[in-house]
Amino acid sequence: MSRGEVTIIRDYFVAHPVGTTALPPGIAKKLARGQPLPPGIAKKMAPVELRQRVPVCMNGWECILAGADMLILDAVHGTIADIIRGVVR
């Protein structure tokens, strides 16, 4: 993910806070690039308006919210491709 895309994501959540609850510590520790999405995390898609602004979210990747983090998932393999930590407000 490019620095520009991360800036778009951060700016979006500053302007459009969605409110979030923290993930349980055990689940939060399991979030890692290249790993499958841990069980117990409900997929909450990133807002459509944001997905339309971030190219990676429109090119076959899933952009979901997990606690205060945004995850980019490889939908084919079911693994976490990237994590933007502490971005959701």
Side-chain angles (χ1 to χ4, degrees), residues 34-47:
Q35 297 298 314
L37 193 63
I41 292 184
K43 287 186 178 182
K44 180 178 178 185
M45 296 300 291

Side-chain angles (χ1 to χ4, degrees), residues 36-88:
L37 193 63
I41 292 184
K43 287 186 178 182
K44 180 178 178 185
M45 296 300 291
V48 173
E49 183 180 335
L50 175 60
R51 285 184 282 149
Q52 292 173 341
R53 292 182 189 177
V54 180
V56 74
C57 294
M58 295 185 297
N59 294 328
W61 301 90
E62 288 185 31
C63 294
I64 67 166
L65 308 179
D69 304 329
M70 185 166 147
L71 308 177
I72 311 301
L73 299 180
D74 177 342
V76 173
H77 299 102
T79 58
I80 299 170
D82 207 349
I83 304 169
I84 301 96
R85 301 234 184 237
V87 72
V88 181

Side-chain angles (χ1 to χ4, degrees), residues 1-26:
M1 172 163 294
S2 74
R3 189 179 305 189
E5 290 172 319
V6 173
T7 299
I8 291 169
I9 293 166
R10 289 189 187 283
D11 290 348
Y12 178 85
F13 286 112
V14 167
H16 304 90
V18 295
T20 185
T21 56
L23 291 174

